[in-house]
Amino acid sequence: MMGELKFFAINPGSTSTKIALFEDETCLFSSNVSHEQEVLATFKEIKDQLGYRKETILSEVKKAGYSLDDVDAFVGRGGGLMPLEGGTYKINDILLDHARACLAGAHPATLGSQLAYQFAGEFGGDCYVVNPPDVDEFEEIARISGLKGIYRESRIHALNQKEIGLRYGAASGKPYDQSNLIIAHIGGGISITAHKKGKMVDSNDILNGDGPMAPTRSGSIAVKKIIAMCYSGQFTEREMKDKVSKNGGLIDHLGTADVREILGRIEDGDAYAKIVLDAMLYQITKTMGSMAAVLKGQVDQIVLTGGISHSEYVVNKIKEYAGFIAGVTVMAGEFEMEALAAGAKRVMTGLEEAKEYTGQPIWKSPW
């Protein structure tokens, strides 16, 4: 039997890098390593931050009294890749090339694979990415939009959603790959996804203004109204994109994205705060209803995750509207670091086979 395994998980964000050292499922050490914005601004491209982030991570590990010498696998968030099937991927040359080029968009998450690869080269061990942001398991019919040549894309909290599916399957006794689930990640961004027998077959696009409004995102709005704003002369292209993805939703209505603060306002009798928050939850449950239709009504469970799912008010309101679809299970918070380590462990213990990244998109339009 294989003994205890050690995994080092790396999850780069815009101004910090989350790291965690695991021994099997036990987290020995974790930290959110901050990076000074002024320092990051000196790098022309995201890939240029690699050496700086690596050194700050190593410093943090040393300060905590740990070593990476006996790590069995380094595992990164991943990103910048062509659309791919969910799973754990051994880091290869083409994956690294695409991450460095930010092929699917510039985001610090693209540094995850590069850091894992460098650490593995220096300290030994394997290196992987697990369910990167580029995971795309949509069924073909879900891709068609109302404009020819414009296709719906998979933009989901893939890492956390997949981990939640696996955890719920283990707890319920019905494996994830045999279940139909609606999983709702409710945090700064909101993704409501139909999981059909282990595949994320449809969801709202969390980056491009689709689905329910969120704490900082507008959600779906009648397109002609957005077109009118774009041509009004009042807003630049950047400002319009920020309205959709950064400054919309709760923050536009109420000046804050903090649901705890909004709940406090509601308790103090703020009627506008209540109708806005309730509208967001109403839109979440409407999207759940559409995902139930995707699954043809055969829904084993609705599972709520993400930080906002800690709120009893939020959970009760969702149950009120969507409880008729299926039972509601709450698995609040995020499990991204655990998901990274768990993905590597499944491969190294033979429960899953590592996938090979080919660089070929999982779907191309035949039309």
Side-chain angles (χ1 to χ4, degrees), residues 45-112:
E45 297 181 18
I46 287 174
K47 64 181 180 181
D48 299 330
Q49 301 175 15
L50 185 64
Y52 164 70
R53 293 212 187 208
K54 179 182 175 182
E55 291 308 313
T56 57
I57 290 168
L58 289 173
S59 175
E60 190 77 5
V61 171
K62 184 178 180 180
K63 185 170 67 176
Y66 287 94
S67 167
L68 301 181
D69 290 323
D70 57 350
V71 169
D72 295 284
F74 295 89
V75 55
R77 170 86 179 274
L81 310 178
M82 297 301 290
L84 44 73
E85 186 180 30
T88 299
Y89 288 79
K90 190 78 176 281
I91 296 173
N92 59 19
D93 289 342
I94 190 167
L95 189 150
L96 284 171
D97 287 344
H98 285 186
R100 293 181 186 120
C102 297
L103 204 64
H107 190 281
T110 59
L111 294 170

Side-chain angles (χ1 to χ4, degrees), residues 277-331:
L277 181 61
D278 285 355
M280 185 181 83
L281 301 177
Y282 174 81
Q283 291 173 25
I284 288 171
T285 56
K286 282 176 66 176
T287 308
M288 287 177 177
S290 68
M291 294 302 137
V294 167
L295 297 171
K296 300 180 180 178
Q298 303 301 306
V299 182
D300 293 305
Q301 197 77 356
I302 295 170
V303 188
L304 308 182
T305 185
I308 295 175
S309 296
H310 283 290
S311 165
E312 185 177 350
Y313 181 95
V314 167
V315 172
N316 287 340
K317 188 66 69 173
I318 289 173
K319 287 181 177 179
E320 178 185 335
Y321 279 106
F324 75 95
I325 296 171
V328 178
T329 294
V330 180
M331 302 178 75

Side-chain angles (χ1 to χ4, degrees), residues 4 40 79 103-104 174 176 235 247 314 331 344:
E4 292 180 332
L40 294 179
L103 204 64
K174 187 175 182 180
Y176 173 55
F235 310 102
N247 305 323
V314 167
M331 302 178 75

